Amino acid sequence: MPPQPDDCLFCMLVRDGDHVHRADGFVAINDINPLAPVHVLVLPERHVDTFRDVSEFDADEAKRMLEFVAETARVVGLEDYRVVVNVGPGGGQTVFHLHWHILGGQTLTERNL
Ligand code: AMP
Ligand code: ZN
């Protein structure tokens, strides 16, 4: 694995966090501040700053990342859900390690992100 940024919270959680699902270079953790009854974050194990840098993934890895998002939703028991990626400060991104929010467990409104 290439060197990880020492000061990245999500790199630390990849190493030491409680994972609700892990496979194939990706992990899922519960969001510490859930905005819905189920609020899970999916992260690549390797550090990529933002979705803007998605071209750092090759086609196979990008496909597996999307499949892992869908698989995680199934693992946590969701059939209907919302997937959100905040990109950059203006998009609401506060942690600069790419992550996908999965929200569900209730009928979602605009208040759930
Ligand atoms: P974003 O604002 O899109 O960058 O999302 C960052 C998310 O990380 C927020 O929903 C936070 O609640 C969540 N978060 C921050 N610190 C932690 C942590 N230690 N464990 C789990 N989730 C966290
Ligand atoms: Zn990181």
Side-chain angles (χ1 to χ4, degrees), residues 6-77:
D6 288 340
D7 56 352
C8 173
L9 171 67
F10 282 2
C11 281
M12 199 182 77
L13 292 179
V14 164
R15 291 191 295 268
D16 301 326
D18 279 336
H19 303 142
V20 299
H21 186 39
R22 180 171 204 152
D24 221 14
F26 301 96
V27 302
I29 60 172
N30 283 312
D31 196 292
I32 201 169
N33 181 29
L35 299 176
V38 179
H39 186 171
V40 172
L41 304 172
V42 164
L43 349 168
E45 286 184 9
R46 73 182 174 89
H47 183 94
V48 172
D49 285 345
T50 80
F51 184 78
R52 218 183 281 126
D53 302 323
V54 72
S55 59
E56 291 184 24
F57 297 96
D58 67 24
D60 183 57
E61 217 179 355
K63 176 173 185 281
R64 283 191 286 111
M65 180 161 62
L66 290 175
E67 287 171 343
F68 184 85
V69 171
E71 190 179 294
T72 297
R74 275 197 304 277
V75 164
V76 299

